[in-house]
Amino acid sequence: MAERSAFTAGRVLESVASFERAAEAYELVAERYPNGPHGADARFNAGVLRQALAQPKRAIDHYQIYARRYRRTKRDAEEVAFRVAVVREEAGDQTRAESAFGEYVQSYPRGVHSLEAAVRFDP
């Protein structure tokens, strides 16, 4: 019940544009209940909100954990892995962005973004 309540609180806070507090609620769910029914969604939502709040390091942390932990169980793990590189690039960290694009190409050679990542990766 605590997991569902915290996740619902995150959704309500997000709906009234209290994004910092919503991210905190999602983070609570993601950390305490990573394998619960809302764990993956909470981790993803926290990443999206941290990215929107111009907190790239925190967004990247959430996206990396999501992509790793849910690689085999969530279809969008590939998309989230690509987002890691995009957020690094948006934050001006070109060296690490290129590395992340390279990692994406290695992990998903036939992925939806493989061509784009390969072009953006400059070994």
Side-chain angles (χ1 to χ4, degrees):
M1 187 125 159
E3 176 191 5
R4 186 173 64 191
S5 297
F7 187 79
T8 300
R11 291 176 64 187
V12 169
L13 290 163
E14 188 175 0
S15 74
V16 296
S18 184
F19 300 124
E20 181 71 36
R21 291 183 61 207
E24 290 169 359
Y26 289 137
E27 288 165 345
L28 184 135
V29 174
E31 292 301 319
R32 291 190 182 174
Y33 311 100
N35 299 318
H38 301 293
D41 290 337
R43 177 70 65 189
F44 178 81
N45 292 351
V48 170
L49 289 173
R50 292 301 179 191
Q51 183 179 359
L53 290 166
Q55 298 171 352
K57 183 180 179 338
R58 293 177 83 176
I60 289 165
D61 289 344
H62 288 300
Y63 290 155
Q64 286 179 322
I65 292 168
Y66 185 98
R68 225 178 7 252
R69 181 173 289 156
Y70 304 109
R71 178 182 170 102
R72 288 179 171 60
T73 59
K74 295 289 187 180
R75 288 181 175 221
D76 63 349
E78 175 189 337
E79 179 69 31
V80 174
F82 184 75
R83 278 186 183 219
V84 169
V86 171
V87 173
R88 286 194 188 285
E89 189 174 66
E90 289 173 353
D93 190 352
Q94 194 60 35
T95 302
R96 293 176 98 187
E98 287 177 7
S99 177
F101 283 125
E103 289 172 20
Y104 175 87
V105 170
Q106 273 189 318
S107 297
Y108 302 97
R110 294 194 168 124
V112 174
H113 300 288
S114 60
L115 180 59
E116 181 180 357
V119 169
R120 292 165 97 170
F121 171 59
D122 187 20

